Amino acid sequence: MAATVVVGTQWGDEGKGKFTDLVAGQMSMVVRYQGGHNAGHTLVVDGESFALQLVPSGVLYPHVTPVIGNGVVVDPRVLLAEMDMLESRGVSTEKLRLSGNAHLILPYHQELDALHERHLGKNKLGTTKRGIGPAYADRSMRVGIRVQDLLDEKIFREKLRAALEHTNRVLTRVFNRLPVDADEVADEYLGTCAPRLAPHIADAVGLVHDELDRGGDVLMEGAQATFLDLDHGTYPFVTSSNPVAGGACTGAGIGPRDIDRVIGIAKAYVTRVGAGPFPTELFDEVGDHFVEVSHEYGTNTGRRRRPGWLDAVMLRYAARVNSLSELAITKLDILDQLETIRVCVAYEADGERYDQLPYHQSVLHRATPVYEDLPGWGVDLSDVTERSQLPREAEDYLAFVEQQVGVPVDMVGVGPGRHQVLRFAA
Ligand code: IMP
């Protein structure tokens, strides 16, 4: 069997968690391949809601092995707190496996994230301040500390001391802060985190390949999204990893030929948190409608998300760079009350029309969206369970999106519950 990838096609918060959870039910293994606890999604199962940041969605199914891949940056304290939360609510985390090659987020990464943001002033990126960027930066500088280092006290202390030599200089001389005491950090992480995480630390690449070899179904769960990708997003207003489908290869140790299905998750409108260009951004009552009706506030940080119309130009790019095999449209029900629904089909800038994403980002800053207006359906979709029950206008809307993006829509979300998903034949 081959692997399936679930990837966000916009700026995150597309409702990936719910669809990943749904697809995860049919899988034997779910692997997170990048990001850290900057992600956050809420799953509603039998009216109970679970907020997950690091543990892969599949954890809620007893038959699924959840794996945190090497491409993830892991804050051990956050991971343990999440495992405790799940255990206290009757969800076993015994099968959770954590790649020994994943990098750790340590307290100084979080401090540096906040300091960098403050230092940038009005140019700040609007990060989640979880230490994601600094942890990946240490990885690239080759002073990162990996999960496997927790298993060897001597190595952990040595690497930490080496890493802090540089970091403490930055903290004290650039930011005028107190230095971090290597022994204090080592005592805490070796004393409390290492023994608890040790039984979960594993050869994740080996596990994934054994599962594929034995014919299992493996789901690769991306966090964030295509336009927050370090290479393909609206740089520098991006995260520090590769959420695109290719990130599953590097972040979980599989090759491109191991993937045969890539599901792109797209919300029926768009939101973004933090700074950066956003051609279809809305500042009117329709935008307020998206935010209020769908409660578009960050799961992690509580920040109000910036709302906008669906952008097919972005989706075309996402289809290309992820080689999407299908689209899942989330939150279609949020459009229920709108008389007219707009879809951006191209941009215009400096008298030129762009059907594909302009490679030069300054164009994106001054681009004006070219909209097609579609009639709304004015019917509550939250109780619809079959495609045949969809009003004609909703069908037409979905067909329009398929035609604009060139990718079939295979699933549609009409509410937060697991059952509120319409599945279309592939
Ligand atoms: P970082 O990932 O914390 O470094 O933040 C970099 C950018 O990515 C900021 O604009 C964040 O708001 C955004 N971001 C990071 N994680 C998420 C997410 O899960 N959903 C939406 N935006 C995110």
Side-chain angles (χ1 to χ4, degrees), residues 86-383:
L86 287 164
E87 290 286 346
S88 73
R89 297 177 64 186
V91 179
S92 170
T93 57
E94 200 190 321
K95 285 170 78 174
L96 175 69
R97 291 294 171 266
L98 172 58
S99 166
N101 285 357
H103 278 248
L104 296 180
I105 297 183
L106 293 166
Y108 51 88
H109 293 126
Q110 202 150 334
E111 185 177 4
L112 284 171
D113 200 351
L115 288 167
H116 284 142
E117 280 288 90
R118 201 177 315 153
H119 191 73
L120 286 170
K122 67 174 177 42
N123 295 322
K124 72 177 181 183
L125 306 174
T127 75
T128 59
K129 301 200 182 118
R130 299 293 200 264
I132 308 295
Y136 278 119
D138 273 3
R139 183 176 83 157
S140 296
M141 292 284 285
R142 280 123 330 148
V143 291
I145 299 183
R146 294 190 291 175
V147 165
Q148 60 182 289
D149 299 329
L150 285 168
L151 301 175
D152 187 318
E153 173 165 0
K154 187 162 167 281
I155 288 182
F156 188 90
R157 287 188 189 275
E158 264 172 26
K159 287 194 172 177
L160 190 61
R161 228 170 273 132
L164 280 173
E165 222 172 90
H166 169 76
T167 298
N168 274 337
R169 255 183 243 148
V170 173
L171 282 173
T172 56
R173 296 188 194 173
V174 178
F175 292 115
N176 206 17
R177 307 286 291 195
L178 291 173
V180 173
D181 186 298
D183 285 330
E184 235 172 70
V185 176
D187 289 346
E188 180 190 345
Y189 284 79
L190 291 167
T192 57
C193 302
R196 289 198 56 201
L197 288 178
H200 299 276
I201 301 174
D203 166 18
V205 172
L207 286 175
V208 170
H209 282 277
D210 286 349
E211 193 61 30
L212 289 171
D213 290 347
R214 87 166 59 97
D217 293 303
V218 178
L219 182 66
M220 298 287 160
E221 177 182 13
Q224 290 86 47
T226 304
F227 287 89
L228 288 174
D229 185 279
L230 186 56
D231 288 272
H232 294 287
T234 44
Y235 191 89
F237 305 103
V238 292
T239 193
S240 303
S241 64
N242 289 112
V244 293
C249 293
T250 52
I254 56 171
R257 290 195 302 136
D258 289 320
I259 302 170
D260 74 345
R261 188 176 171 204
V262 183
I263 307 172
I265 312 289
K267 192 151 62 177
Y269 52 96
V270 182
T271 57
R272 111 167 267 179
V273 215
F278 186 172
T280 64
E281 184 165 13
L282 288 169
F283 300 94
D284 60 7
E285 64 284 359
V286 177
D288 292 342
H289 168 87
F290 292 149
V291 173
E292 296 316 321
V293 175
S294 192
H295 195 72
E296 294 288 0
Y297 295 89
T299 322
N300 266 339
T301 56
R303 287 182 290 176
R304 182 187 198 271
R305 297 176 184 143
R306 298 158 58 192
W309 289 112
L310 187 76
D311 185 340
V313 183
M314 287 175 75
L315 294 183
R316 275 176 218 136
Y317 189 79
R320 283 182 163 177
V321 296
N322 294 297
S323 62
L324 297 182
S325 54
E326 60 211 78
L327 275 173
I329 303 284
T330 63
K331 302 202 177 189
L332 189 65
D333 55 305
I334 303 302
L335 307 183
D336 286 355
Q337 307 309 325
L338 301 179
E339 233 166 79
T340 302
I341 296 167
R342 310 195 95 178
V343 177
C344 167
V345 296
Y347 303 142
E348 260 171 16
D350 313 321
E352 230 183 286
R353 180 183 164 111
Y354 294 85
D355 293 308
Q356 299 293 343
L357 196 77
Y359 86 90
H360 203 300
Q361 203 163 293
S362 62
V363 177
L364 207 56
H365 281 275
R366 24 175 225 280
T368 316
V370 178
Y371 287 114
E372 288 265 348
D373 287 347
L374 286 86
W377 40 91
V379 178
D380 178 0
L381 294 186
S382 58
D383 290 328

